[in-house]
Amino acid sequence: MTESVQHSPNDVLRAVRIGLRMSQDDLAKALRQAGEELREPNDASKRLVQRWESGVSRVPRPVYARALEKVTGRPLESLGFTLPVPTARVHGDGSGGHDVDAGAPGIAGADRDSRPIARTAEENYSGIWLSRYEFFSSSREQSFTAAHHVVLLQHGNRLTAQSLSRASTNPDSPLSLDLTVDRNVVTGTWTEQTAPDGYYQGARYHGAIQLLVEPTGRRMAGKWVGFGKDFDVNNGPWELRLLDTSTAKATLERYSRVPGQQGR
């Protein structure tokens, strides 16, 4: 006897479509047109819209996610889809180490039923990204956020990122990432060399990182882990946000500045 699978309808998307006075076929046509305008052709169909609205398909592929946002004028998270990307805060664990808040929706709290996002062959993450992570300083007894502009290059399923010159909230603290992407899961290692004349006096830190990619392909968020004092392994939130898909020399120069400051 075969057990039937129950799906929760996406009533939000259906309501938005009706509010736009579109049939399912109209929405599919609008998505294809949006794909052409975004230079990301897609094969949206009435059947695909039906799968979204019935809940059979819970997360659209990135090429469709971007088209949906363009057509509806709404971010994907307000269209009723399941987004398993976490947010979290770091805190002291009471024994010298530092962890993500137990009550925060970290990666372990992501929807276990969410299926990995199938990526298209054309999907590429190369570009300029804003990297931000949070860490707890036990000597200063407070949390800090470090930000870098990084250039990310993709070769097959390998992603390598390197911070740009003069592009960090911690001056002269170059950051590098060595990552592997498997559908919507990004896993790898990180290394940061702190400034010789900075608070950490040239210390070199490294560890592991795992991120989940949002359906739009424009944000990755997850956690880092790394060593601390007294043989502790600490962790905290980390995110990457896409700023520019270009890696041209002029673009690199434009982002060679401290995040948050105006470009030249």
Side-chain angles (χ1 to χ4, degrees):
M1 183 176 180
T2 302
E3 182 180 355
S4 62
V5 178
Q6 298 295 322
H7 300 287
S8 299
N10 187 339
D11 294 327
V12 176
L13 179 63
R14 181 171 180 271
V16 170
R17 174 179 61 78
I18 293 173
L20 293 172
R21 297 183 180 179
M22 288 184 175
S23 66
Q24 292 176 333
D25 193 49
D26 290 335
L27 178 56
K29 291 178 181 177
L31 292 174
R32 293 197 297 271
Q33 181 178 345
E36 294 294 335
E37 294 173 357
L38 292 169
R39 298 182 181 179
E40 297 180 324
N42 64 67
D43 298 317
S45 64
K46 177 180 179 180
R47 175 59 180 157
L48 178 60
V49 175
Q50 289 174 337
R51 287 175 61 83
W52 289 337
E53 293 189 356
S54 66
V56 172
S57 179
R58 301 174 61 185
V59 183
R61 287 164 44 190
V63 66
Y64 294 120
R66 292 188 279 269
L68 277 164
E69 291 189 336
K70 182 175 178 61
V71 171
T72 65
R74 295 170 176 241
L76 199 67
E77 55 265 29
S78 68
L79 293 176
F81 291 105
T82 300
L83 301 184
V85 177
T87 57
R89 301 293 293 179
V90 69
H91 72 110
D93 63 7
S95 58
H98 307 99
D99 302 308
V100 171
D101 288 332
I107 287 180
D111 187 348
R112 295 181 182 272
D113 294 328
S114 296
R115 298 179 181 178
I117 302 165
R119 309 202 66 79
T120 63
E122 295 79 14
E123 197 68 30
N124 192 293
Y125 297 114
S126 296
I128 307 299
W129 293 70
L130 172 63
S131 166
R132 290 191 298 198
Y133 68 86
E134 187 179 333
F135 66 99
F136 188 89
S137 171
S138 56
S139 58
R140 291 176 281 184
E141 297 186 343
Q142 67 182 101
S143 294
F144 293 89
T145 298
H148 298 75
H149 285 151
V150 302
V151 56
L152 190 153
L153 300 176
Q154 180 168 353
H155 303 281
N157 69 336
R158 287 286 303 279
L159 307 175
T160 58
Q162 181 64 50
S163 59
L164 299 175
S165 176
R166 307 182 303 279
S168 168
T169 51
N170 297 324
D172 301 319
S173 294
L175 171 72
S176 60
L177 302 168
D178 187 3
L179 310 168
T180 300
V181 58
D182 181 4
R183 290 177 285 190
N184 71 322
V185 180
V186 176
T187 306
T189 59
W190 60 271
T191 303
E192 184 172 4
Q193 180 73 46
T194 62
D197 57 350
Y199 184 84
Y200 293 101
Q201 301 179 341
R204 182 174 180 270
Y205 292 95
H206 55 84
I209 183 173
Q210 188 165 64
L211 310 169
L212 295 178
V213 185
E214 283 190 346
T216 60
R218 288 185 163 87
R219 180 175 179 260
M220 308 177 189
K223 297 180 184 178
W224 62 266
V225 295
F227 66 89
K229 297 191 301 182
D230 302 321
F231 300 100
D232 276 318
V233 175
N234 304 319
N235 65 67
W238 197 317
E239 75 164 357
L240 293 169
R241 288 183 178 271
L242 180 63
L243 300 176
D244 199 308
T245 57
S246 171
T247 57
K249 182 178 179 180
T251 307
L252 299 181
E253 286 292 329
R254 188 164 69 252
Y255 285 99
S256 291
R257 54 179 173 80
V258 177
Q261 291 187 354
Q262 294 297 320
R264 285 176 272 175

